[in-house]
């Protein structure tokens, strides 16, 4: 198989963790071809724009991109380049797994294995109706939820459960208060759930969900929810299992998919060679699943777990004395 993927090295620690990730992927001999494209600050400096057309064309052509974090300069056109990318390619599903790993500084070193499926294009993030009154006393914002948007994200969550053998989907909402928007989401979710009788479905109000996640995270399997709730809940879940260095995310649409780490460009440690490459590596594992290579994805995840278990060359955020590349080499030796 020859598959070309778009590779965006990104800003800050981006190039360092991408080098490490590609080193491991190369060791797996997957026959992947990389097409490099620029975005973010790196693109602004080289091409005078944050999101060059050539980058858009590359993602459109290859349909799969592996992306390091991008810095959105304050005061430039977009509110966020990442939000802009999701919008332009209609990447409606944000899929964020959170799993316990050994030897992390986590409150749950075992027992957590859940996936947050976050709607990525609607809700409070549509950017419409943002207004502050002239006297600065009142601010408003429009939220929009559609039947189509709700249907496709809930269907994505149930299909994911089917495909991965997961047993339960929890629909997270606030329909008791947000009767129109969250109400529509919940109504559509119930309709979709009825078409998947073999998968258990329960409903949970978002504030209770946060408490339940902290008290008994093992009760969750797949969570599906709207944009803002998913943003917050997925960070909470990343925190449960040991933080940002281990949290990947996939942005999936019908015509393209972008795989990344949840964390940002970490300017405080950029250039020091000590960033943890695992989040991007786990994003790459999601990409391998997406490319129809689930056994390779499992091999990659197993190699990461084995390296953590052996405490071999771990980066300082995990309490180790290794660096980005020595950690990657330790993982590569186990794939
Ligand atoms: P951040 O995630 O870059 O950093 C937060 C803290 O976590 C820092 O102390 C950092 O050193 C640490 N950290 C993050 N990743 C790490 C890793 N792999 N290994 C070890 N430590 C790690 O968040 P921050 O500082 O709020 O954002 C910095 C920039 O990143 C901003 O310009 C923001 O817009 C951008 N950003 C981009 C994202 C993306 O491209 N998907 C996501 C989040 C933020
Ligand atoms: Mg977020």
């Amino acid at each position: 198989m020859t598959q070309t993927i778009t590779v965006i090295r990104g800003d800050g620690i981006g190039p360092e963790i991408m080098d490490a990730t590609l080193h491991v992927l190369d060791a797996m001999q997957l026959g992947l071809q990389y097409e490099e494209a620029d975005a973010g600050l790196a693109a602004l400096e080289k091409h005078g724009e944050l999101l060059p057309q050539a980058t858009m064309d590359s993602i459109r052509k290859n349909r799969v991109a592996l992306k390091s974090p991008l810095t959105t300069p304050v005061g430039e056109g977009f509110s966020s380049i990442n939000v802009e990318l999701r919008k332009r390619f209609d990447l409606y599903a944000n899929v964020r797994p959170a799993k316990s790993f050994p030897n992390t500084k986590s409150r749950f070193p075992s027992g957590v294995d859940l996936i947050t499926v976050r709607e990525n294009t609607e809700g409070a993030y549509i950017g419409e109706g943002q207004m502050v009154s002239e006297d600065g006393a009142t601010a408003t914002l429009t939220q929009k939820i559609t039947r189509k948007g709700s249907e496709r994200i809930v269907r994505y969550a149930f299909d994911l459960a089917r495909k991965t053998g997961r047993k339960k989907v929890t629909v997270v909402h606030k329909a008791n208060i947000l009767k129109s928007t969250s109400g529509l989401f919940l109504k559509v979710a119930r309709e979709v759930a009825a078409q998947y009788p073999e998968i258990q479905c329960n409903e949970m109000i978002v504030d209770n969900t946060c408490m339940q996640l902290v008290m008994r995270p093992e009760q969750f399997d797949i969570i599906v929810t709207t944009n803002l709730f998913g943003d917050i809940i997925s960070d909470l879940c990343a925190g449960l299992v040991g933080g940002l260095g281990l949290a990947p995310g996939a942005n999936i649409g019908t015509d393209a998919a972008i795989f990344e780490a949840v964390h940002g460009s970490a300017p405080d440690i950029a250039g020091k060679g000590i960033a943890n490459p695992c989040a991007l590596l786990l994003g790459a594992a999601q990409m391998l699943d997406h490319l129809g290579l689930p056994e390779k994805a499992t091999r990659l995840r197993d190699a990461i777990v084995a390296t953590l278990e052996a405490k071999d060359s771990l980066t300082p955020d995990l309490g180790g004395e290794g660096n980005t590349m020595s950690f990657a080499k330790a993982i590569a030796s186990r794939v």
Side-chain angles (χ1 to χ4, degrees), residues 48-329:
E49 50 184 335
L50 288 166
L51 201 50
Q53 186 59 42
T55 301
M56 298 294 293
D57 293 344
S58 172
I59 298 172
R60 188 159 288 122
K61 174 170 59 98
N62 297 324
R63 301 165 66 101
V64 173
L66 185 62
K67 184 187 78 60
S68 271
L70 306 174
T71 300
T72 302
V74 179
E76 287 292 329
F78 314 131
S79 60
S80 151
I81 313 172
N82 294 300
V83 172
E84 188 65 23
L85 271 170
R86 291 167 190 166
K87 234 198 255 173
R88 296 231 199 142
F89 287 106
D90 194 25
L91 305 173
Y92 66 91
N94 191 190
V95 183
R96 294 183 162 180
K99 196 173 182 321
S100 298
F101 287 107
N103 292 325
T104 59
K105 292 186 207 149
S106 151
R107 286 173 198 277
F108 293 94
S110 70
V112 180
D113 182 7
L114 63 88
I115 302 177
T116 304
V117 176
R118 161 191 175 192
E119 204 293 319
N120 222 6
T121 59
E122 302 195 329
Y125 285 62
I126 54 168
E128 286 170 23
Q130 300 233 41
M131 226 163 52
V132 180
S133 65
E134 243 164 62
D135 62 2
T138 312
T140 53
L141 153 77
T142 302
Q143 291 206 27
K144 187 158 77 186
I145 295 287
T146 67
R147 169 169 282 277
K148 178 183 161 224
S150 303
E151 221 228 277
R152 67 179 178 174
I153 195 66
V154 177
R155 194 170 289 289
Y156 186 93
F158 277 91
D159 284 341
L160 183 66
R162 235 179 217 171
K163 211 166 56 192
T164 54
R166 287 175 181 263
K167 305 271 181 287
K168 180 170 155 192
V169 173
T170 303
V171 178
V172 172
H173 66 91
K174 187 78 186 181
N176 51 328
I177 306 293
L178 307 173
K179 291 189 196 305
S180 61
T181 49
S182 214
L184 177 60
F185 178 76
L186 180 60
K187 178 171 188 285
V188 174
R190 286 176 181 162
E191 291 167 14
V192 173
Q195 297 164 30
Y196 296 80
E198 80 282 16
I199 293 163
Q200 192 195 337
C201 176
N202 66 337
E203 300 166 5
M204 205 178 275
I205 295 174
V206 63
D207 33 359
N208 179 33
T209 306
C210 291
M211 183 194 70
Q212 296 289 337
L213 274 167
V214 173
M215 305 276 293
R216 285 199 312 119
E218 66 282 356
Q219 70 183 288
F220 295 94
D221 198 348
I222 289 183
I223 289 172
V224 64
T225 190
T226 45
N227 207 335
L228 177 59
F229 297 162
D231 188 14
I232 297 166
I233 281 177
S234 60
D235 269 31
L236 194 163
C237 293
L240 288 179
V241 298
L244 286 171
L246 295 162
N251 300 281
I252 308 218
T254 34
D255 299 325
I258 300 180
F259 299 85
E260 63 183 353
V262 167
H263 64 71
S265 51
D268 52 335
I269 56 167
K272 296 189 178 156
I274 55 166
N276 183 347
C278 280
L280 187 60
L281 272 166
L282 291 165
Q286 285 185 282
M287 178 183 79
L288 296 179
D289 275 328
H290 180 80
L291 290 172
L293 301 167
E295 61 299 322
K296 307 279 189 197
T298 301
R299 233 174 81 200
L300 176 52
R301 290 188 186 103
D302 288 350
I304 292 171
V305 171
T307 309
L308 288 167
E309 252 158 17
K311 293 193 183 176
D312 184 359
S313 311
L314 308 188
T315 43
D317 60 303
L318 297 173
E321 287 172 8
N323 56 48
T324 308
M325 212 53 199
S326 67
F327 195 5
K329 284 185 175 153

